[in-house]
Amino acid sequence: MGHGTNRIEDMSSPNNETAANARETVVEIHSVCLPPKKTTFQKLKKRFGDVFFPDDPLERFRNQTWRNKVILGLQSLFPIFTWGSQYDLKLFRSDVISGLTIASLAIPQGISYAKLANLPPIVGLYSSFVPPLIYSVLGSSKHLAVGPVSIASLVMGSMLSESVSPTQDSILYLKLAFTSTFFAGLFQASLGLLRLGFVIDFLSKATLVGFTAGAAVIVSLQQLKGLLGIVHFTGKMQFVPVMSSVINTRSEWSWETIVMGLGFLIILLTTRHLSMRKPKLFWISAASPLASVVISTLLVYLIRDKTHAISFIGHLPKGLNPPSVNMLYFSAAHLALAIKTGIITGILSLTEGIAVGRTFASLKNYQVNGNKEMMAIGFMNMAGSCTSCYVTTGSFSRSAVNVNAGAKTAVSNIVMASAVLVTLLFLMPLFYYTPNLILAAIILTAVIGLIDYQAAYKLWKVDKFDFFTCMCSFFGVLFVSVPLGLAIAVGVSVIKILLHVTRPNTLEFGNIPGTQIYQSLKRYREASRVPGFLILAVESPLYFANCTYLQERILRWTREEENRIKENNDRNLKCIILDMTAVSSIDTSGIEAVFELRRRLEKQSLQLVLVNPVGSVMEKLHKSKIIESLGLSGLYLTVGEAVSDLSSTWKAHGQP
């Protein structure tokens, strides 16, 4: 391992003649050191901390008095204590304006999304009251606007309706919706408490782009029932059955519904486009859904005696959220369905909520704690399931309006919940004649933004495999089913991970002339091979899943290099240099593979040299005695030092 400072020849020139006549330079050969000794407990403690506590949450408690520790503990559990002491009238004024603005969007969206989940419309308003209050106390985002969202509503509706009819067995369906919400919250809170947030990372960007686009198309097609005035519509969520149902029920189409529905849809899309082009006019897009509900309700009320073709919501009960603890359904008959629905909707809503929170936190230059968000969203869903609410999370559209309206803290959620409370207590009779077509138009306007074709095009340009994953997710949702489409995309993503793990990349390095830098021959055209050496780099950990492949791949590199040498009459191959800079870890199978590789190369009169193994890898190699078997010239800190030292040694022994 130890090498001194030697006077050696620089053999890293671009061609044989220059290499043979290279000028002599003094190169210092550095030792490859072992990492500091640590006990097994110290290693496990560090590894445990790196995996589960990368943010070191206890750092702020160190060197603090007991009083300060209690205060910091309260702030950690309830972020409202962090900013509550500095809250003033100026901040409250901004939060009131933003809260009332998002309430104008949340009320019609809440009613619409509940129908998307095949739930009574009033449940959507219940879900816009209790969860925002809980999140405002527990959540770490200042701008996340909480409530029902389209994707989670669609998934819950599609999964539950496959087994239980929301019309023929409405009570059981409602019980399963609340129970699924409870399990979603339990799962989300558990991930936060156990710091297992990496689980949701299996939903890659590519998977989510395809899934949300496919779900948006399905949601849009489902709204044709309301926009066309169809009474007998399929309960299935696939593209073909939905389109067949639309075509086969042409006799039920209502021209009055179509005209009014398209008119309001055009208005909503126009205001949305206007707000996107001119962000200062955000209030137009935010207010247009509620304004459309008011106007359409008035129109239906005025023409109620002249036509009965336009369907409307009907009676909505007044009053606060009724308790629903007694409706949580833990019977064995449908428990598996409730758990499965809860976990899938929990993962989707958690992914969306954290992504939205982090997006706006980045824009406003503050940090959102992922684990706190998981616990906040989880606890609010668990509490929501006991107060007649279904799955809720942070909505991108409402959060964007919240930011544009000038929200400063989570009090905007409290203001929004207060507006919903007033609606629940006093305004419910006003929604009696609200037409279903306006709810369909509101949903259509909201989900159109989920079809991110620009992101899909970027995936195509950057990573074709990611684009393939995206398309699997999209078409899986469109033609198979919502949960299976998601499962297909996750499966493809896992296959991608397995391919990267079991078939890692290996590169052949060459020297960049005039330097001690060695880089990929394919990437750098000016790089050239060093006579007598085959320099390879492995870009992955070395363990049981890939060690056999890597061993065979390196031997193949060796055969190909020897064939190239024979064809070009170059200097004989003497040494295989393996750059282990990117080998982050190694297990016993990997160590055995290195032993076997050295043995097989020795039979071919070739020397194996390892370069720059990282600390943990170096420690395991040392304990396995492989360093001793490699010899004094079998381990170097850099490729340049290995080439220089070995070249000078060969020359000293009179070897060509």
Side-chain angles (χ1 to χ4, degrees):
M1 280 191 296
H3 303 282
T5 301
N6 302 300
R7 188 174 180 78
I8 60 177
E9 289 186 30
D10 185 344
M11 300 295 291
S12 58
S13 301
N15 54 64
N16 290 359
E17 288 185 16
T18 308
N21 302 297
R23 59 185 178 83
E24 291 188 342
T25 58
V26 177
V27 177
E28 183 180 357
I29 308 302
H30 300 86
S31 297
V32 181
C33 301
L34 285 166
K37 286 187 177 181
K38 291 182 179 179
T39 64
T40 302
F41 176 75
Q42 288 174 323
K43 292 176 184 176
L44 288 174
K45 181 181 177 183
K46 183 179 185 304
R47 185 60 180 161
F48 183 82
D50 290 343
V51 171
F52 295 103
F53 302 96
D55 54 341
D56 192 8
L58 300 179
E59 181 183 11
R60 56 194 301 214
F61 291 90
R62 297 189 184 109
N63 303 319
Q64 297 286 342
T65 63
W66 277 105
R67 180 177 177 276
N68 288 341
K69 286 180 179 179
V70 171
I71 294 172
L72 290 172
L74 286 173
Q75 290 176 349
S76 296
L77 293 173
F78 306 102
I80 192 171
F81 286 107
T82 304
W83 49 265
S85 58
Q86 288 90 34
Y87 200 72
D88 57 26
L89 189 60
K90 183 179 180 182
L91 294 175
F92 180 67
R93 189 183 302 113
S94 299
D95 287 336
V96 167
I97 294 172
S98 57
L100 292 175
T101 305
I102 57 174
S104 67
L105 187 61
I107 292 170
Q109 280 191 352
I111 296 172
S112 304
Y113 292 155
K115 289 183 71 67
L116 187 59
N118 299 317
L119 293 168
I122 192 66
V123 175
L125 288 181
Y126 291 156
S127 303
S128 300
F129 172 52
V130 173
L133 292 176
I134 296 172
Y135 182 83
S136 63
V137 176
L138 299 176
S140 60
S141 173
K142 300 176 183 177
H143 301 96
L144 196 67
V146 171
V149 292
S150 58
I151 298 299
S153 301
L154 171 70
V155 172
M156 177 173 283
S158 62
M159 292 186 70
L160 293 181
S161 60
E162 286 179 1
S163 301
V164 179
S165 171
T167 53
Q168 297 175 6
D169 206 346
S170 58
I171 300 299
L172 176 59
Y173 186 91
L174 193 59
K175 288 180 178 180
L176 289 176
F178 294 151
T179 309
S180 299
T181 301
F182 174 81
F183 282 115
L186 182 64
F187 179 72
Q188 292 165 336
S190 299
L191 289 182
L193 287 169
L194 300 176
R195 305 183 75 83
L196 297 174
F198 59 83
V199 171
I200 65 174
D201 292 336
F202 280 94
L203 290 180
S204 64
K205 172 72 173 177
T207 300
L208 289 173
V209 168
F211 176 78
T212 53
V217 172
I218 292 297
V219 170
S220 301
L221 294 176
Q222 282 285 330
Q223 303 321 302
L224 293 177
K225 174 185 178 182
L227 285 176
L228 300 177
I230 299 173
V231 178
H232 302 93
F233 198 71
T234 180
K236 296 182 179 179
M237 293 288 179
Q238 294 83 13
F239 179 83
V240 175
V242 171
M243 292 308 299
S244 298
S245 182
V246 170
I247 295 170
N248 293 333
T249 55
R250 292 191 302 273
S251 59
E252 296 182 10
W253 293 11
S254 164
W255 69 266
E256 298 98 327
T257 303
I258 294 172
V259 171
M260 185 180 290
L262 287 178
F264 280 106
L265 180 61
I266 291 170
I267 292 171
L268 290 169
L269 290 174
T270 302
T271 56
R272 178 180 180 274
H273 179 72
L274 184 64
S275 296
M276 290 176 64
R277 293 288 299 271
K278 297 183 179 181
K280 290 184 177 180
L281 299 177
F282 71 90
W283 57 271
I284 296 178
S285 177
S288 58
L290 186 58
S292 298
V293 166
V294 172
I295 295 170
S296 62
T297 302
L298 284 172
L299 287 174
V300 172
Y301 176 76
L302 292 173
I303 63 173
R304 67 188 186 283
D305 295 328
K306 297 180 180 179
T307 179
H308 299 285
I310 300 176
S311 63
F312 47 85
I313 293 176
H315 174 72
L316 293 177
K318 289 198 300 182
L320 293 176
N321 300 34
S324 56
V325 178
N326 61 321
M327 295 190 72
L328 295 181
Y329 188 85
F330 299 112
S331 174
H334 296 287
L335 185 60
L337 174 64
I339 293 174
K340 182 175 69 172
T341 304
I343 290 175
I344 293 178
T345 55
I347 290 175
L348 289 171
S349 59
L350 196 60
T351 303
E352 181 176 357
I354 292 178
V356 172
R358 284 176 173 167
T359 298
F360 291 109
S362 177
L363 289 174
K364 295 297 181 179
N365 197 30
Y366 68 94
Q367 193 170 3
V368 165
N369 187 304
N371 288 297
K372 288 181 183 177
E373 288 298 286
M374 292 179 200
M375 288 188 286
I377 294 173
F379 286 136
M380 80 179 186
N381 277 320
M382 290 175 69
S385 69
C386 300
T387 53
S388 301
C389 304
Y390 77 108
V391 174
T392 55
T393 187
S395 162
F396 186 85
S397 59
R398 288 193 292 274
S399 298
V401 170
N402 201 26
V403 171
N404 289 329
K408 302 298 181 185
T409 69
V411 171
S412 59
N413 273 304
I414 298 175
V415 175
M416 178 190 73
S418 302
V420 174
L421 172 62
V422 172
T423 304
L424 286 170
L425 291 177
F426 306 109
L427 304 180
M428 297 316 298
L430 300 179
F431 290 97
Y432 186 91
Y433 287 103
T434 299
N436 288 312
L437 63 89
I438 195 61
L439 303 181
I442 289 170
I443 292 175
L444 264 172
T445 306
V447 300
I448 280 177
L450 298 177
I451 305 174
D452 194 350
Y453 63 90
Q454 291 180 330
Y457 178 68
K458 187 176 181 180
L459 290 173
W460 168 257
K461 290 188 67 177
V462 175
D463 190 323
K464 299 297 189 293
F465 200 104
D466 271 356
F467 180 78
F468 176 70
T469 303
C470 175
M471 290 297 101
C472 285
S473 182
F474 177 76
F475 289 112
V477 169
L478 214 57
F479 294 103
V480 184
S481 73
V482 174
L484 282 179
L486 183 63
I488 290 169
V490 171
V492 172
S493 297
V494 170
I495 290 172
K496 179 183 178 182
I497 294 171
L498 291 176
L499 284 175
H500 282 303
V501 167
T502 60
R503 296 295 184 267
N505 195 29
T506 54
L507 301 172
E508 183 180 5
F509 277 10
N511 176 245
I512 296 178
T515 72
Q516 286 289 317
I517 298 173
Y518 291 79
Q519 281 295 339
S520 170
L521 289 170
K522 289 185 177 180
R523 184 179 174 190
Y524 294 89
R525 294 183 179 179
E526 66 270 28
S528 59
R529 292 180 174 86
V530 181
F533 293 92
L534 173 61
I535 306 168
L536 302 175
V538 178
E539 297 184 328
S540 82
L542 184 56
Y543 52 105
F544 70 95
N546 61 22
C547 60
T548 302
Y549 167 79
L550 285 172
Q551 181 181 321
E552 295 299 327
R553 187 68 186 92
I554 291 169
L555 291 172
R556 177 183 164 189
W557 276 111
T558 305
R559 290 193 301 270
E560 291 174 349
E561 180 65 12
E562 288 179 332
N563 292 335
R564 187 194 66 80
I565 289 171
K566 288 179 182 178
E567 292 175 0
N568 296 290
N569 294 321
D570 285 345
R571 184 187 298 180
N572 289 338
L573 182 63
K574 295 182 179 180
C575 179
I576 312 298
I577 296 178
L578 195 60
D579 187 347
M580 301 184 72
T581 303
V583 179
S584 58
S585 64
I586 191 170
D587 67 358
T588 52
S589 298
I591 293 170
E592 288 295 326
V594 175
F595 265 115
E596 177 65 15
L597 180 64
R598 181 191 64 82
R599 187 186 64 80
R600 294 178 68 171
L601 290 175
E602 276 186 350
K603 286 185 176 181
Q604 302 176 48
S605 300
L606 296 172
Q607 181 183 1
L608 176 65
V609 172
L610 305 182
V611 168
N612 194 31
V614 299
S616 60
V617 174
M618 179 65 186
E619 185 178 14
K620 290 181 181 180
L621 292 175
H622 176 71
K623 288 181 178 180
S624 66
K625 307 297 183 183
I626 196 172
I627 300 299
E628 295 177 9
S629 67
L630 288 172
L632 188 65
S633 58
L635 186 67
Y636 291 87
L637 188 61
T638 68
V639 174
E641 291 179 7
V643 171
S644 299
D645 192 41
L646 290 169
S647 299
S648 64
T649 302
W650 295 342
K651 184 176 181 182
H653 288 81
Q655 298 179 18

